[in-house]
């Protein structure tokens, strides 16, 4: 049997003006990691042959979806306001996301806030989405050993 839990995931940010965990009690409704560009471009010649071009792009984004009541909104708001004061502070965040149970690891370096999150006040509390963009690297782990032995690839 294989299981997943967000409790196995932790994330942190380190940049000018602060360093703190991005996971914990009422911290996240999830983390979305997205690459900006395709890694390949395919060109088809007049004769039907194709050519692949490997692109060097590694830019991507991480979005942290936080409950309105999360204390992390205050920490990120302070960090955003500190960093936007000068280009000397902008784009120097390092963000790490790890899933310890599966061995997954993502790193976003030279990361900058995309914008201050949209907000609304209504009958029900909302989610604030904090998005960062930078240089994205990844490693997907081997997963849980029990799952590999029972459901993984066969030799």
């Amino acid at each position: 049997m294989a299981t997943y839990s967000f409790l196995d995931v932790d994330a942190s940010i380190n940049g000018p003006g602060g360093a703190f965990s991005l996971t914990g009690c009422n911290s996240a409704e999830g983390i979305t990691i997205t690459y900006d560009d395709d890694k390949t471009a395919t060109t088809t010649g007049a004769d039907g042959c194709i050519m692949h071009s490997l692109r060097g792009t590694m830019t991507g984004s991480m979005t942290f979806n936080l409950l309105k009541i999360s204390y992390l909104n205050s920490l990120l708001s302070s960090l955003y306001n500190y960093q936007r004061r000068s280009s000397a502070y902008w784009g120097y965040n390092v963000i790490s996301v790890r899933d310890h149970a599966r061995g997954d690891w993502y790193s976003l370096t030279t990361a900058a806030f995309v914008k201050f999150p949209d907000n609304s006040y209504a009958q029900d509390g909302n989610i604030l989405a904090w998005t960062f963009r930078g240089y994205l690297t990844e490693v997907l782990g081997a997963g849980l050993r029990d799952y590999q032995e029972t459901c993984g690839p066969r030799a």
Side-chain angles (χ1 to χ4, degrees):
M1 176 176 80
T3 59
Y4 164 82
S5 174
F6 188 69
L7 298 174
D8 296 326
V9 177
D10 70 49
S12 63
I13 185 169
N14 187 345
F20 47 88
S21 174
L22 291 168
T23 50
C25 183
N26 73 36
S27 64
E29 279 292 301
I31 302 167
T32 303
I33 301 168
T34 308
Y35 276 96
D36 290 339
D37 301 304
D38 292 338
K39 199 62 177 167
T40 191
T42 305
T43 305
T44 305
D47 62 355
C49 290
I50 63 169
M51 172 183 67
H52 293 288
S53 297
L54 174 63
R55 295 177 174 173
T57 181
M58 293 295 289
T59 60
S61 62
M62 288 185 180
T63 301
F64 296 84
N65 300 296
L66 305 179
L67 298 174
K68 174 64 178 161
I69 61 170
S70 175
Y71 64 92
L72 289 174
N73 290 308
S74 176
L75 294 176
L76 287 168
S77 175
S78 294
L79 192 64
Y80 173 87
N81 286 320
Y82 179 86
Q83 292 180 5
R84 74 182 181 127
R85 293 184 337 195
S86 170
S87 61
Y89 308 137
W90 197 256
Y92 292 102
N93 294 302
V94 175
I95 303 172
S96 295
V97 176
R98 287 187 171 85
D99 181 338
H100 295 279
R102 270 145 292 289
D104 297 351
W105 171 81
Y106 286 88
S107 177
L108 190 69
T109 57
T110 62
F113 288 89
V114 171
K115 67 174 190 166
F116 199 83
D118 296 334
N119 194 4
S120 64
Y121 296 91
Q123 181 173 336
D124 295 325
N126 63 324
I127 305 296
L128 298 182
W130 292 90
T131 301
F132 299 84
R133 187 166 291 127
Y135 186 88
L136 185 58
T137 54
E138 78 296 319
V139 173
L140 294 178
L144 297 171
R145 171 169 228 146
D146 291 343
Y147 180 74
Q148 278 186 327
E149 291 173 357
T150 59
C151 300
R154 306 269 190 250

